[in-house]
Amino acid sequence: MTIVQAAPPVVVRRGRASRREALSAYGFISPWVIGFVGLTVGPMVASLVLSFTDNNLVSAGGTSFVGLDNYQRALFEDPLVVQSLKVTTYYATAAVALDLVVGLLLALLLNSGFRAIGAVRTIYYLPAAVSGVAVSLLWLWIFQPSGGLANELLSLLGLPELNWVYSTTWVIPAFVLMSLWGVGRSAFIYLAILQRIPTNLYEAAAVDGVGPLRSFFQITVPLVTPAIFLNLVLGLIGNFQSFTQAFVISEGGPANASLFYTLYLYRNAFRYFEIGYASALAWILFGLLLVLTALVFRSGRRWVYYEAGGPGDRTA
Amino acid sequence: MTASAVVLGPRPSGRWARRLSAVIIVAGVVAVLLPLAWMLSTSLKPESQVFRSPIEWIPSTFRVENYSEAVTLIPFWRYALNSLIVTVPVVIGTVLTSTAVAYAFARMRAPGLRPLFFLVIAAIMLPAEVTLVPSFLLFKELGWVGTYSPLIVPAWLGGGAFNIFLLRQYFLTIPREQDELARVEGHSFLSILLRVIIPQSWPAISVVAALTFVDVWNDFLGPLIYLTDQKLYTLPLGLNFYKDIYNTQWAHFMAASLLALLPCIVIFFLAQRAFTQGVVLTGRR
């Protein structure tokens, strides 16, 4: 009897406590909610609407709906969109592929327990801390055809000198080389996983007479596939949005050979003030990245190996 | 045969394998440091010796004056101050708001909180280009174009999905019993955050602070779009603005660029553990 009577107040109190907890939770996340609605969802909707208009900040006269005209123009009539997609895909593919392979090899070397390896790792990671305009200017100097470090090294090796960022052929390889400088970043992601592979796996394999090449492909590679996957997704998304180096070093040239997609979008939006068209370009990029990411995720189910309790289980 | 063992197992075995890996590691270190060493070397040469071939790594005449001249040839300190005016409030806002938001997602229960967290993860993947143009129009409408507000205010609204995610993951590693004990003692959620969570989370918080500093200090696209008055330019914008004027004065240009990088290099060495940890925690680039 007394127990039954005692029960309701407890429930009420817990209800009130959880309501208070919910209210403070909403309070804590409110800055993010405001930002997400005001600076992400709102602008996204606005951008989608704008992409169906001929909004142009400089032309007189109002804005009118033009349906899919912007998309049709971008995908079928504007040769510079095709060019920028070509250039960006070329750059992103080469940069990501090199990053994946060299990053893994570097991580394997760094995982080898040498003395002073801590200092060495720090140095490899240094390029990640320095980026942007100052670094772009450094590489602009490195790639100067006369007096630049790149050509000095080539001539030291007895190789012909190149025009690097002033050549339609070499401007993208030059940027890829520049991106390879930051390979330490992905090596660190590999390292985190490599360090968790128990050595006895390799010892057992050696006892069973498995050669080093086979144990690399059958032990190491499967176990680092989550890191390969992460580096692949982040690398694709990041490199497809490259902007600063093309803006500062080559200004999209020569002859649009380094017209990265984001650079072309920037020009349309902030140099020609073609707001409607630039919005359509942004949504095309977004769609492209969505499709790419979805493809990588789908294929990932087949080639990414997750241990139970491994990093793949921790995402949420 | 031993050589191939170098890269195959987790640990190279055999003397030659170890020697070869050591050689490759050192060669890699040289390759990473070479551009920076060249930058330093160029910055200390008289302009007339910059183009000398073969390269003089150690200048035959040191010219330290390049630095004092570089900071007057362009309004360097003005730009550096502007960069600080933007970077410091962004770092503070990012740390404060992302900590609060991450705490709620890690520890509190409320209807709708889980789906909202999935939106945070989705927002990480969102390319900034999609919101670039309409955000510009919004800030133009607010009269903020040409001021620092579009660069600073967004940082106070959650501090970025990535940082929220990183901090939440870190908070989850702190045993829950500690908060529950504090709850029983009658502490509010805010006081638990301040007394229990934050004191144990400095590694993650310094990751967020250091990475944000470097990101914002180096940011180019944001200032490029929003800053119109040359007097308000940040360092990246200022350096780029003088690019053509400087193109023939590489020694001075490299001196200025190196000075611009210095805060990031210093922060990197101070917080190098935080940096490398941050990569491991988030895979951020």
Side-chain angles (χ1 to χ4, degrees), chain A residues 230-266:
Chain A
L230 186 63
N231 281 330
L232 179 61
V233 172
L234 294 174
L236 281 176
I237 293 178
N239 282 306
F240 261 94
Q241 296 176 65
S242 300
F243 174 78
T244 303
Q245 66 271 56
F247 187 96
V248 174
I249 297 179
S250 61
E251 291 165 10
N256 294 320
S258 64
L259 184 70
F260 283 164
Y261 193 87
T262 308
L263 180 60
Y264 188 53
L265 195 162
Y266 166 84

Side-chain angles (χ1 to χ4, degrees), chain A residues 67-84:
Chain A
L68 290 169
D69 280 10
N70 287 326
Y71 291 91
Q72 190 184 340
R73 176 179 155 201
L75 293 171
F76 304 109
E77 291 155 24
D78 188 343
L80 287 181
V81 170
V82 179
Q83 170 69 8
S84 67

